């Protein structure tokens, strides 16, 4: 979720326009419900979270994980639990480079007669913890649990 250049006033204006449009369509909406819907449309959990992000002076989204954190998710379709060894924002983008050390090595091969285990991997993830790189079946390489 990128909040670049959005102020709290911008977000409240979005909520007001949403209320007007919903009311014109015959579905009245309270102001607080409109604020919550605007928050969801920007990927935030609720209005308080969104307004806090908009009020930040640097207005930069927080990274999806921090160095030293223990995270869970999927790597090449295999479940994992790992420690984040490194994390850095890639310049001029919403992506982060991440290095993970799995608690237990992950077998990335799905064939019965062959295995290839990985315990430390590096990749790129977006602000939601999902890598833009995909496998041949369209699944992201890395998906961190929320």
């Amino acid at each position: 979720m990128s909040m670049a250049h959005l102020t709290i006033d911008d977000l409240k204006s979005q909520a007001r326009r949403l209320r007007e449009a919903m009311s014109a369509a015959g579905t009245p909406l309270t102001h607080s419900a409109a604020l919550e819907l605007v928050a969801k449309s920007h990927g935030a959990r609720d209005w308080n979270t969104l307004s806090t992000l908009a009020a930040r002076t640097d207005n930069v989204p927080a990274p999806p994980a921090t160095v030293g954190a223990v995270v869970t998710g999927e790597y090449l379709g295999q479940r994992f639990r790992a420690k984040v060894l490194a994390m850095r924002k890639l310049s001029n983008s919403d992506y982060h480079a991440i290095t993970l050390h799995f608690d237990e090595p992950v077998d990335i091969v799905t064939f019965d007669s062959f295995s290839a285990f990985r315990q430390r991997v590096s990749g790129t993830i977006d602000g939601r913890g999902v890598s833009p790189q995909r496998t041949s079946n369209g699944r992201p390489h890395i998906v961190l649990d929320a």
Side-chain angles (χ1 to χ4, degrees), residues 47-135:
W47 170 251
N48 289 336
T49 302
L50 183 66
S51 61
T52 299
L53 286 171
R56 286 175 53 173
T57 55
D58 62 359
N59 216 1
V60 175
T66 57
V67 174
V70 174
V71 296
T72 58
E74 287 187 4
Y75 176 67
L76 299 177
Q78 305 298 318
R79 295 291 306 160
F80 71 80
R81 182 179 191 283
K83 182 175 184 179
V84 178
L85 295 181
M87 174 79 111
R88 68 180 173 84
K89 184 171 182 352
L90 300 177
S91 63
N92 298 323
S93 76
D94 291 330
Y95 294 101
H96 297 81
I98 188 169
T99 301
L100 300 168
H101 184 82
F102 301 136
D103 288 355
E104 298 292 326
V106 173
D107 187 359
I108 62 166
V109 176
T110 57
F111 299 115
D112 291 335
S113 61
F114 181 71
S115 292
F117 290 93
R118 301 280 189 277
Q119 190 157 23
R120 185 173 293 184
V121 299
S122 294
T124 303
I125 57 174
D126 63 17
R128 297 175 298 123
V130 178
S131 66
Q133 296 83 13
R134 309 276 173 180
T135 61

